[in-house]
Amino acid sequence: MPVPMACAPGRPTSPPSRRMRAGLRLAGWTIDPTSREASDGERTRRLSPRAMQVLLVLADAEGAVVSRADLLDAVWAAVHVGDESLTQAVSELRRALGNARDGRRIVETVPKAGYRLAVPVLREMAPTPALPDVLTFPGSAMPLEAHIALSEARSLARYRGLLAADEIDRLIEEARALAPDNASVLADYATLMGLAAVHAGQRNPRLRLATEAAEQAVRLRPDQLAPHRALGFVAGVQGQLELGLKSFSCALTIDPDDFETSYLAAQVCFGAGDAHKAMVLAERAADLRPDDYRPAYNAARAALRVGDADRVRRLAGQAVARIDMVLVAQPDATRFLSARAAAAAMLGGTVEAPESTLRRAVAGGLFYDVVSLAHRGAIPEALDVLEDLIERGWSYDGWISVDPVSTLLGRERRFARMMASIAA
């Protein structure tokens, strides 16, 4: 596999972003919403996407108080999060911007009402960009149908995983056929194909196709994040760690706050046996997307591997809480039931799942079930589920061998035979 093109430090070959916001000036700071940077001429602070959105909403209010409920609705939209997420965003703004010269807080708390900007805001005019000509982009434009197919595939991968493998395959192949030379489509195709490869068997042919698509995407758009992220993932799961980490570094250079990059890089590092690096990356991903249980769960597994008991309790508790939010609306979601049972098991029974819930979860036959059963001491049952998974093609031996469940099952001859069959 060739080394990817270097991260593009200069201007991208495409036209400027179609969505530009005017800059702001407040309390000596110049705020650039596009780059999410605040500068006072001597220092530059980079804000997270959510913190920047909170600042923009408060700036639009022109000094008026904005309630916590309105801020949550405006910034987190359909995502169900608690007040803690807003509190964290406001705290980030205060750390970054400090106080005004007269000592007042720039972001002021109005008790029982909400927040307001306590300093005047000046707006800088931003040029109105021309609509891009798709012919100036390397590669073809993405048809709406391809975007829709990939969106469906991503949703299925998140909510159903292996249980929807065939449907995910169909959707990503459809998107690739609709836009065979579009870098974004190729990057998503490579990532989803890579996930299918490690979770649903047929690793070599799938990963070969994923690698080819990721490499083509990097050649087409070395300035974009998604191609580097995709190549980092597919290279990493094939054991080409140096190339994988280099590609992830390129992606994080383009956007250090990208959730998917931290999340996928954590999976690669965990499968490669670097549990500490995986824990830090997964925890960062969990902070970036507070409604998603997967990074919190993965960070807890990595913390368990490195022996950080405090982190295990905190992160597994986060995962349980996030899963419960989904189960309110989807009480029979098999993948979430399985994940909850596994996360609860890491808490040592302090958040115990009812036996009926556990039985429904295990009926799905997922690796989560191996974890929850093994932690509860049901070793023969855990081995039954693992054997069924392997017979169905689940073959990511790197993950199984480094996951803490291997310590619980490692003394069983049956487990050793299964691992040998995967290696063969």
Side-chain angles (χ1 to χ4, degrees):
M1 184 188 300
V3 175
M5 299 172 69
C7 306
R11 292 180 179 274
T13 55
S14 64
S17 169
R18 284 171 287 181
R19 184 173 181 269
M20 296 178 66
R21 292 284 305 250
L24 308 175
R25 290 184 62 84
L26 67 159
W29 291 95
T30 298
I31 312 295
D32 182 351
T34 303
S35 65
R36 303 198 310 277
E37 289 183 346
S39 174
D40 65 355
E42 297 180 357
R43 300 166 295 169
T44 298
R45 303 278 190 263
R46 186 175 175 85
L47 301 174
S48 69
R50 299 297 190 189
M52 176 57 76
Q53 289 178 56
V54 169
L55 180 59
L56 292 175
V57 173
L58 293 175
D60 288 343
E62 298 180 339
V65 177
V66 183
S67 71
R68 295 180 68 90
D70 286 346
L71 280 166
L72 286 167
D73 287 344
V75 176
W76 281 268
V79 179
H80 298 290
V81 298
D83 282 0
E84 179 187 358
S85 298
L86 175 57
T87 301
Q88 290 176 352
V90 171
S91 296
E92 180 187 341
L93 286 174
R94 287 171 172 165
R95 286 194 304 271
L97 304 179
N99 295 333
R101 290 188 176 90
D102 60 6
R104 289 182 299 163
R105 276 185 165 177
I106 293 175
V107 181
E108 180 182 45
T109 300
V110 181
K112 299 183 180 180
Y115 298 101
R116 63 182 289 267
L117 289 183
V119 296
V121 178
L122 299 177
R123 296 184 182 274
E124 297 177 338
M125 296 300 294
T128 302
L131 291 175
D133 177 358
V134 296
L135 296 180
T136 64
F137 284 88
S140 61
M142 184 195 301
L144 180 61
E145 292 81 359
H147 174 78
I148 291 171
L150 287 172
S151 296
E152 286 188 61
R154 283 192 294 267
S155 178
L156 287 171
R158 178 179 177 185
Y159 288 100
R160 298 194 63 206
L162 177 61
L163 301 175
D166 291 342
E167 181 65 6
I168 292 170
D169 278 357
R170 183 188 68 78
L171 288 165
I172 61 178
E173 291 291 356
E174 177 184 322
R176 175 84 185 266
L178 286 166
D181 297 317
N182 179 273
S184 296
V185 171
L186 288 166
D188 272 359
Y189 173 91
T191 301
L192 290 166
M193 184 66 79
L195 288 168
V198 298
H199 292 303
Q202 301 178 31
R203 289 183 66 189
N204 291 336
R206 288 171 179 264
L207 286 174
R208 179 180 56 78
L209 293 172
T211 300
E212 291 172 355
E215 290 175 340
Q216 184 181 355
V218 171
R219 286 193 297 270
L220 285 169
R221 295 302 302 269
D223 59 297
Q224 285 188 349
L225 177 151
H228 294 289
R229 181 180 64 206
L231 185 56
F233 180 62
V234 296
V237 297
Q238 293 177 89
Q240 296 174 307
L241 193 60
E242 183 179 355
L243 174 57
L245 294 181
K246 181 176 181 179
S247 297
F248 282 132
S249 294
C250 284
L252 289 171
T253 297
I254 295 170
D255 185 356
D257 295 323
D258 180 64
F259 162 79
E260 290 288 344
T261 303
S262 291
Y263 174 67
L264 293 175
Q267 291 202 48
V268 164
C269 289
F270 192 70
D274 193 336
H276 183 268
K277 193 175 291 181
M279 177 182 68
V280 173
L281 286 165
E283 193 169 9
R284 172 62 176 156
D287 290 341
L288 288 169
R289 187 172 290 177
D291 64 314
D292 196 329
Y293 81 90
R294 298 172 301 163
Y297 175 87
N298 289 347
R301 298 304 289 167
L304 187 60
R305 186 72 183 184
V306 302
D308 191 333
D310 289 340
R311 262 189 167 123
V312 172
R313 285 190 292 270
R314 175 169 54 80
L315 292 163
Q318 274 186 23
V320 169
R322 295 176 183 192
I323 292 168
D324 284 346
M325 292 174 63
V326 175
L327 291 176
V328 169
Q330 304 178 56
D332 294 317
T334 301
R335 188 169 193 238
F336 286 81
L337 289 167
S338 293
R340 191 192 189 282
M346 282 189 277
L347 295 171
T350 57
V351 183
E352 190 66 41
E355 284 302 312
S356 59
T357 299
L358 181 59
R359 283 197 298 274
R360 281 189 295 162
V362 172
L366 299 169
F367 189 67
Y368 293 125
D369 308 325
V370 180
V371 171
S372 57
L373 289 166
H375 276 286
R376 287 175 169 81
I379 301 301
E381 292 85 352
L383 290 170
D384 286 343
V385 176
L386 181 58
E387 187 171 47
D388 178 64
L389 279 169
I390 293 171
E391 287 176 356
R392 289 159 55 195
W394 202 82
S395 56
Y396 195 3
D397 54 321
W399 188 282
I400 300 174
S401 63
V402 300
D403 189 279
V405 79
S406 64
T407 303
L408 300 172
L409 304 178
R411 295 180 181 177
E412 301 292 325
R413 291 182 180 178
R414 190 174 164 199
F415 178 72
R417 288 197 299 271
M418 281 188 258
M419 294 300 294
S421 71
I422 294 176

